[in-house]
mmCIF file of all heavy atoms in Angstrom:
data_model
loop_
_atom_site.group_PDB
_atom_site.id
_atom_site.type_symbol
_atom_site.label_atom_id
_atom_site.label_comp_id
_atom_site.label_asym_id
_atom_site.label_seq_id
_atom_site.Cartn_x
_atom_site.Cartn_y
_atom_site.Cartn_z
ATOM 1 N N ALA A 139 118.535 97.413 105.165
ATOM 2 C CA ALA A 139 117.828 97.606 106.391
ATOM 3 C C ALA A 139 116.606 98.539 106.219
ATOM 4 O O ALA A 139 115.594 98.256 106.674
ATOM 5 C CB ALA A 139 118.774 98.161 107.509
ATOM 6 N N ALA A 140 116.831 99.577 105.510
ATOM 7 C CA ALA A 140 115.761 100.565 105.155
ATOM 8 C C ALA A 140 114.685 99.907 104.444
ATOM 9 O O ALA A 140 113.469 100.113 104.686
ATOM 10 C CB ALA A 140 116.303 101.760 104.492
ATOM 11 N N ASP A 141 115.038 99.078 103.445
ATOM 12 C CA ASP A 141 113.986 98.394 102.687
ATOM 13 C C ASP A 141 113.186 97.430 103.469
ATOM 14 O O ASP A 141 112.037 97.128 103.162
ATOM 15 C CB ASP A 141 114.750 97.564 101.510
ATOM 16 C CG ASP A 141 115.269 98.448 100.488
ATOM 17 O OD1 ASP A 141 114.906 99.667 100.332
ATOM 18 O OD2 ASP A 141 116.113 97.954 99.676
ATOM 19 N N ALA A 142 113.738 96.902 104.665
ATOM 20 C CA ALA A 142 113.063 96.052 105.456
ATOM 21 C C ALA A 142 112.232 96.781 106.519
ATOM 22 O O ALA A 142 111.618 96.147 107.356
ATOM 23 C CB ALA A 142 114.079 95.084 106.153
ATOM 24 N N GLY A 143 112.241 98.135 106.405
ATOM 25 C CA GLY A 143 111.416 98.857 107.375
ATOM 26 C C GLY A 143 112.231 99.324 108.603
ATOM 27 O O GLY A 143 111.623 99.838 109.555
ATOM 28 N N TRP A 144 113.501 99.093 108.648
ATOM 29 C CA TRP A 144 114.319 99.418 109.813
ATOM 30 C C TRP A 144 114.841 100.891 109.619
ATOM 31 O O TRP A 144 114.817 101.448 108.555
ATOM 32 C CB TRP A 144 115.556 98.545 109.898
ATOM 33 C CG TRP A 144 115.322 97.133 110.280
ATOM 34 C CD1 TRP A 144 114.135 96.372 110.141
ATOM 35 C CD2 TRP A 144 116.267 96.239 110.859
ATOM 36 N NE1 TRP A 144 114.357 95.086 110.543
ATOM 37 C CE2 TRP A 144 115.664 94.954 110.968
ATOM 38 C CE3 TRP A 144 117.550 96.363 111.189
ATOM 39 C CZ2 TRP A 144 116.317 93.905 111.542
ATOM 40 C CZ3 TRP A 144 118.315 95.274 111.742
ATOM 41 C CH2 TRP A 144 117.590 94.071 111.865
ATOM 42 N N ASP A 145 115.239 101.395 110.774
ATOM 43 C CA ASP A 145 116.108 102.590 110.808
ATOM 44 C C ASP A 145 117.573 102.210 110.790
ATOM 45 O O ASP A 145 117.876 101.231 111.484
ATOM 46 C CB ASP A 145 115.749 103.554 111.990
ATOM 47 C CG ASP A 145 114.401 104.264 111.871
ATOM 48 O OD1 ASP A 145 113.960 104.360 110.725
ATOM 49 O OD2 ASP A 145 113.920 104.587 112.981
ATOM 50 N N ALA A 146 118.402 102.915 110.076
ATOM 51 C CA ALA A 146 119.814 102.591 109.988
ATOM 52 C C ALA A 146 120.560 103.900 110.326
ATOM 53 O O ALA A 146 120.265 104.969 109.802
ATOM 54 C CB ALA A 146 120.253 102.041 108.663
ATOM 55 N N VAL A 147 121.592 103.771 111.133
ATOM 56 C CA VAL A 147 122.459 104.959 111.465
ATOM 57 C C VAL A 147 123.861 104.508 111.140
ATOM 58 O O VAL A 147 124.416 103.524 111.617
ATOM 59 C CB VAL A 147 122.363 105.316 112.954
ATOM 60 C CG1 VAL A 147 123.356 106.417 113.284
ATOM 61 C CG2 VAL A 147 121.007 105.661 113.336
ATOM 62 N N ILE A 148 124.541 105.279 110.214
ATOM 63 C CA ILE A 148 125.874 105.064 109.835
ATOM 64 C C ILE A 148 126.823 105.902 110.576
ATOM 65 O O ILE A 148 126.691 107.166 110.538
ATOM 66 C CB ILE A 148 126.108 105.279 108.311
ATOM 67 C CG1 ILE A 148 125.180 104.324 107.570
ATOM 68 C CG2 ILE A 148 127.537 105.161 107.908
ATOM 69 C CD1 ILE A 148 125.047 104.750 106.050
ATOM 70 N N ALA A 149 127.757 105.330 111.301
ATOM 71 C CA ALA A 149 128.742 106.074 112.157
ATOM 72 C C ALA A 149 130.038 106.283 111.328
ATOM 73 O O ALA A 149 130.770 105.363 111.199
ATOM 74 C CB ALA A 149 129.010 105.444 113.473
ATOM 75 N N SER A 150 130.237 107.518 110.784
ATOM 76 C CA SER A 150 131.364 107.728 109.937
ATOM 77 C C SER A 150 131.352 109.256 109.679
ATOM 78 O O SER A 150 130.410 109.981 109.524
ATOM 79 C CB SER A 150 131.329 107.007 108.677
ATOM 80 O OG SER A 150 132.447 107.322 107.820
ATOM 81 N N SER A 151 132.604 109.807 109.418
ATOM 82 C CA SER A 151 132.744 111.204 108.979
ATOM 83 C C SER A 151 132.882 111.290 107.438
ATOM 84 O O SER A 151 133.013 112.425 106.920
ATOM 85 C CB SER A 151 133.931 111.868 109.630
ATOM 86 O OG SER A 151 135.103 111.220 109.297
ATOM 87 N N ASP A 152 132.857 110.175 106.751
ATOM 88 C CA ASP A 152 133.008 110.167 105.360
ATOM 89 C C ASP A 152 131.839 110.867 104.646
ATOM 90 O O ASP A 152 130.678 110.401 104.758
ATOM 91 C CB ASP A 152 133.113 108.720 104.840
ATOM 92 C CG ASP A 152 133.645 108.603 103.420
ATOM 93 O OD1 ASP A 152 133.334 109.546 102.590
ATOM 94 O OD2 ASP A 152 134.324 107.611 103.054
ATOM 95 N N LYS A 153 132.105 111.850 103.889
ATOM 96 C CA LYS A 153 131.033 112.635 103.238
ATOM 97 C C LYS A 153 130.362 111.827 102.151
ATOM 98 O O LYS A 153 129.209 112.256 101.739
ATOM 99 C CB LYS A 153 131.549 113.987 102.644
ATOM 100 C CG LYS A 153 132.678 113.842 101.654
ATOM 101 C CD LYS A 153 133.181 115.244 101.274
ATOM 102 C CE LYS A 153 134.441 115.185 100.428
ATOM 103 N NZ LYS A 153 135.604 114.793 101.239
ATOM 104 N N ASP A 154 130.917 110.721 101.725
ATOM 105 C CA ASP A 154 130.246 109.907 100.664
ATOM 106 C C ASP A 154 128.888 109.383 101.097
ATOM 107 O O ASP A 154 128.021 109.125 100.431
ATOM 108 C CB ASP A 154 131.065 108.707 100.278
ATOM 109 C CG ASP A 154 132.318 109.179 99.485
ATOM 110 O OD1 ASP A 154 132.431 110.307 99.079
ATOM 111 O OD2 ASP A 154 133.176 108.235 99.169
ATOM 112 N N PHE A 155 128.827 109.150 102.434
ATOM 113 C CA PHE A 155 127.610 108.573 103.022
ATOM 114 C C PHE A 155 126.397 109.564 102.976
ATOM 115 O O PHE A 155 125.252 109.140 103.181
ATOM 116 C CB PHE A 155 127.820 108.146 104.398
ATOM 117 C CG PHE A 155 128.691 106.863 104.491
ATOM 118 C CD1 PHE A 155 129.814 106.884 105.266
ATOM 119 C CD2 PHE A 155 128.444 105.763 103.751
ATOM 120 C CE1 PHE A 155 130.685 105.710 105.327
ATOM 121 C CE2 PHE A 155 129.266 104.670 103.832
ATOM 122 C CZ PHE A 155 130.357 104.602 104.583
ATOM 123 N N MET A 156 126.646 110.822 102.775
ATOM 124 C CA MET A 156 125.558 111.812 102.703
ATOM 125 C C MET A 156 124.557 111.493 101.603
ATOM 126 O O MET A 156 123.371 111.815 101.579
ATOM 127 C CB MET A 156 126.034 113.187 102.549
ATOM 128 C CG MET A 156 126.842 113.696 103.771
ATOM 129 S SD MET A 156 127.075 115.500 103.823
ATOM 130 C CE MET A 156 128.165 115.716 102.422
ATOM 131 N N GLN A 157 125.054 110.762 100.514
ATOM 132 C CA GLN A 157 124.247 110.399 99.401
ATOM 133 C C GLN A 157 123.238 109.357 99.753
ATOM 134 O O GLN A 157 122.204 109.192 99.027
ATOM 135 C CB GLN A 157 125.052 109.912 98.246
ATOM 136 C CG GLN A 157 125.781 108.638 98.443
ATOM 137 C CD GLN A 157 126.717 108.267 97.362
ATOM 138 O OE1 GLN A 157 126.357 107.671 96.369
ATOM 139 N NE2 GLN A 157 128.004 108.593 97.568
ATOM 140 N N LEU A 158 123.367 108.707 100.872
ATOM 141 C CA LEU A 158 122.423 107.690 101.363
ATOM 142 C C LEU A 158 121.273 108.087 102.189
ATOM 143 O O LEU A 158 120.337 107.355 102.429
ATOM 144 C CB LEU A 158 123.190 106.564 102.103
ATOM 145 C CG LEU A 158 124.226 105.749 101.429
ATOM 146 C CD1 LEU A 158 124.949 104.878 102.432
ATOM 147 C CD2 LEU A 158 123.616 104.856 100.375
ATOM 148 N N VAL A 159 121.389 109.367 102.723
ATOM 149 C CA VAL A 159 120.444 109.837 103.742
ATOM 150 C C VAL A 159 118.973 109.835 103.188
ATOM 151 O O VAL A 159 118.705 110.367 102.102
ATOM 152 C CB VAL A 159 120.895 111.185 104.237
ATOM 153 C CG1 VAL A 159 119.719 111.849 105.054
ATOM 154 C CG2 VAL A 159 122.107 111.108 105.108
ATOM 155 N N THR A 160 118.093 109.262 103.959
ATOM 156 C CA THR A 160 116.659 109.219 103.694
ATOM 157 C C THR A 160 115.924 109.348 104.998
ATOM 158 O O THR A 160 116.602 109.546 106.106
ATOM 159 C CB THR A 160 116.225 107.877 103.059
ATOM 160 O OG1 THR A 160 116.394 106.892 103.962
ATOM 161 C CG2 THR A 160 117.059 107.644 101.763
ATOM 162 N N ALA A 161 114.665 109.215 104.981
ATOM 163 C CA ALA A 161 113.872 109.247 106.255
ATOM 164 C C ALA A 161 114.238 108.043 107.118
ATOM 165 O O ALA A 161 114.102 108.077 108.333
ATOM 166 C CB ALA A 161 112.357 109.184 105.925
ATOM 167 N N ARG A 162 114.795 106.950 106.495
ATOM 168 C CA ARG A 162 115.249 105.768 107.209
ATOM 169 C C ARG A 162 116.723 105.652 107.529
ATOM 170 O O ARG A 162 117.123 104.945 108.401
ATOM 171 C CB ARG A 162 114.801 104.531 106.382
ATOM 172 C CG ARG A 162 113.330 104.258 106.350
ATOM 173 C CD ARG A 162 112.824 103.662 107.670
ATOM 174 N NE ARG A 162 111.432 103.223 107.578
ATOM 175 C CZ ARG A 162 110.703 102.904 108.613
ATOM 176 N NH1 ARG A 162 111.218 102.985 109.845
ATOM 177 N NH2 ARG A 162 109.449 102.508 108.492
ATOM 178 N N ILE A 163 117.512 106.388 106.761
ATOM 179 C CA ILE A 163 118.936 106.264 106.938
ATOM 180 C C ILE A 163 119.536 107.570 107.391
ATOM 181 O O ILE A 163 119.376 108.608 106.792
ATOM 182 C CB ILE A 163 119.639 105.893 105.613
ATOM 183 C CG1 ILE A 163 119.165 104.461 105.162
ATOM 184 C CG2 ILE A 163 121.173 105.786 105.839
ATOM 185 C CD1 ILE A 163 119.649 104.066 103.807
ATOM 186 N N GLY A 164 120.188 107.602 108.564
ATOM 187 C CA GLY A 164 120.803 108.812 109.101
ATOM 188 C C GLY A 164 122.314 108.586 109.332
ATOM 189 O O GLY A 164 122.863 107.462 109.236
ATOM 190 N N LEU A 165 123.047 109.712 109.646
ATOM 191 C CA LEU A 165 124.435 109.654 109.842
ATOM 192 C C LEU A 165 124.839 110.138 111.175
ATOM 193 O O LEU A 165 124.227 111.097 111.722
ATOM 194 C CB LEU A 165 125.121 110.543 108.804
ATOM 195 C CG LEU A 165 124.940 110.242 107.355
ATOM 196 C CD1 LEU A 165 125.732 111.264 106.467
ATOM 197 C CD2 LEU A 165 125.252 108.840 106.943
ATOM 198 N N LEU A 166 125.774 109.507 111.814
ATOM 199 C CA LEU A 166 126.363 109.955 113.105
ATOM 200 C C LEU A 166 127.795 110.354 112.797
ATOM 201 O O LEU A 166 128.637 109.519 112.544
ATOM 202 C CB LEU A 166 126.337 108.806 114.125
ATOM 203 C CG LEU A 166 126.803 109.161 115.513
ATOM 204 C CD1 LEU A 166 125.905 110.208 116.175
ATOM 205 C CD2 LEU A 166 126.919 107.946 116.426
ATOM 206 N N ASN A 167 127.973 111.648 112.673
ATOM 207 C CA ASN A 167 129.295 112.231 112.318
ATOM 208 C C ASN A 167 130.114 112.544 113.506
ATOM 209 O O ASN A 167 129.681 113.403 114.269
ATOM 210 C CB ASN A 167 129.090 113.445 111.404
ATOM 211 C CG ASN A 167 130.363 113.989 110.855
ATOM 212 O OD1 ASN A 167 131.410 113.727 111.329
ATOM 213 N ND2 ASN A 167 130.269 114.629 109.678
ATOM 214 N N PRO A 168 131.254 111.882 113.721
ATOM 215 C CA PRO A 168 132.055 112.180 114.997
ATOM 216 C C PRO A 168 132.590 113.576 115.020
ATOM 217 O O PRO A 168 132.978 113.984 116.100
ATOM 218 C CB PRO A 168 133.179 111.104 114.894
ATOM 219 C CG PRO A 168 133.276 110.820 113.434
ATOM 220 C CD PRO A 168 131.908 110.907 112.888
ATOM 221 N N ASN A 169 132.587 114.257 113.883
ATOM 222 C CA ASN A 169 133.092 115.633 113.910
ATOM 223 C C ASN A 169 132.003 116.583 114.426
ATOM 224 O O ASN A 169 132.303 117.755 114.737
ATOM 225 C CB ASN A 169 133.413 116.105 112.530
ATOM 226 C CG ASN A 169 134.698 115.319 111.998
ATOM 227 O OD1 ASN A 169 135.553 115.014 112.772
ATOM 228 N ND2 ASN A 169 134.720 115.028 110.644
ATOM 229 N N ASP A 170 130.827 116.161 114.467
ATOM 230 C CA ASP A 170 129.654 116.919 115.076
ATOM 231 C C ASP A 170 129.538 116.635 116.490
ATOM 232 O O ASP A 170 129.002 115.624 116.942
ATOM 233 C CB ASP A 170 128.405 116.637 114.334
ATOM 234 C CG ASP A 170 127.194 117.437 114.827
ATOM 235 O OD1 ASP A 170 127.323 118.215 115.759
ATOM 236 O OD2 ASP A 170 126.110 117.340 114.147
ATOM 237 N N LYS A 171 130.023 117.526 117.322
ATOM 238 C CA LYS A 171 129.990 117.357 118.829
ATOM 239 C C LYS A 171 128.652 117.313 119.425
ATOM 240 O O LYS A 171 128.512 116.938 120.582
ATOM 241 C CB LYS A 171 130.902 118.443 119.478
ATOM 242 C CG LYS A 171 132.388 118.415 118.913
ATOM 243 C CD LYS A 171 133.044 117.082 119.034
ATOM 244 C CE LYS A 171 134.479 117.160 118.482
ATOM 245 N NZ LYS A 171 135.103 115.826 118.450
ATOM 246 N N SER A 172 127.585 117.699 118.694
ATOM 247 C CA SER A 172 126.293 117.726 119.271
ATOM 248 C C SER A 172 125.828 116.280 119.461
ATOM 249 O O SER A 172 124.839 116.052 120.207
ATOM 250 C CB SER A 172 125.343 118.508 118.356
ATOM 251 O OG SER A 172 125.002 117.769 117.162
ATOM 252 N N GLY A 173 126.277 115.336 118.651
ATOM 253 C CA GLY A 173 125.879 113.975 118.700
ATOM 254 C C GLY A 173 124.591 113.683 117.942
ATOM 255 O O GLY A 173 123.964 112.614 118.060
ATOM 256 N N ALA A 174 124.110 114.713 117.216
ATOM 257 C CA ALA A 174 122.837 114.584 116.450
ATOM 258 C C ALA A 174 123.009 113.603 115.313
ATOM 259 O O ALA A 174 124.137 113.468 114.733
ATOM 260 C CB ALA A 174 122.388 115.933 115.973
ATOM 261 N N ILE A 175 121.970 112.881 115.033
ATOM 262 C CA ILE A 175 121.913 111.988 113.828
ATOM 263 C C ILE A 175 121.486 112.860 112.719
ATOM 264 O O ILE A 175 120.383 113.412 112.632
ATOM 265 C CB ILE A 175 120.988 110.836 114.083
ATOM 266 C CG1 ILE A 175 121.474 109.903 115.237
ATOM 267 C CG2 ILE A 175 120.816 109.991 112.848
ATOM 268 C CD1 ILE A 175 120.592 108.824 115.620
ATOM 269 N N TRP A 176 122.387 112.923 111.679
ATOM 270 C CA TRP A 176 122.075 113.777 110.508
ATOM 271 C C TRP A 176 121.023 113.166 109.664
ATOM 272 O O TRP A 176 121.006 111.938 109.279
ATOM 273 C CB TRP A 176 123.364 113.893 109.685
ATOM 274 C CG TRP A 176 124.432 114.812 110.204
ATOM 275 C CD1 TRP A 176 124.558 115.133 111.621
ATOM 276 C CD2 TRP A 176 125.449 115.448 109.599
ATOM 277 N NE1 TRP A 176 125.618 115.989 111.733
ATOM 278 C CE2 TRP A 176 126.173 116.246 110.514
ATOM 279 C CE3 TRP A 176 125.836 115.564 108.215
ATOM 280 C CZ2 TRP A 176 127.268 117.022 110.214
ATOM 281 C CZ3 TRP A 176 126.949 116.251 107.866
ATOM 282 C CH2 TRP A 176 127.630 117.040 108.836
ATOM 283 N N GLY A 177 120.113 114.072 109.237
ATOM 284 C CA GLY A 177 119.119 113.725 108.177
ATOM 285 C C GLY A 177 119.231 114.676 106.996
ATOM 286 O O GLY A 177 120.352 115.304 106.823
ATOM 287 N N ARG A 178 118.193 114.866 106.301
ATOM 288 C CA ARG A 178 118.240 115.707 105.114
ATOM 289 C C ARG A 178 118.695 117.054 105.448
ATOM 290 O O ARG A 178 119.485 117.680 104.737
ATOM 291 C CB ARG A 178 116.877 115.653 104.443
ATOM 292 C CG ARG A 178 116.746 116.714 103.339
ATOM 293 C CD ARG A 178 115.294 116.874 102.832
ATOM 294 N NE ARG A 178 115.197 117.990 101.900
ATOM 295 C CZ ARG A 178 115.103 119.256 102.266
ATOM 296 N NH1 ARG A 178 115.049 119.556 103.559
ATOM 297 N NH2 ARG A 178 115.026 120.169 101.338
#
Side-chain angles (χ1 to χ4, degrees):
D141 289 344
W144 291 23
D145 287 336
V147 177
I148 299 170
S150 177
S151 60
D152 193 330
K153 56 185 173 291
D154 290 354
F155 290 125
M156 293 195 294
Q157 65 188 276
L158 292 174
V159 168
T160 65
R162 288 286 187 192
I163 301 174
L165 306 180
L166 184 64
N167 187 333
N169 294 325
D170 182 354
K171 303 306 180 184
S172 74
I175 296 175
W176 285 23
R178 173 190 171 276

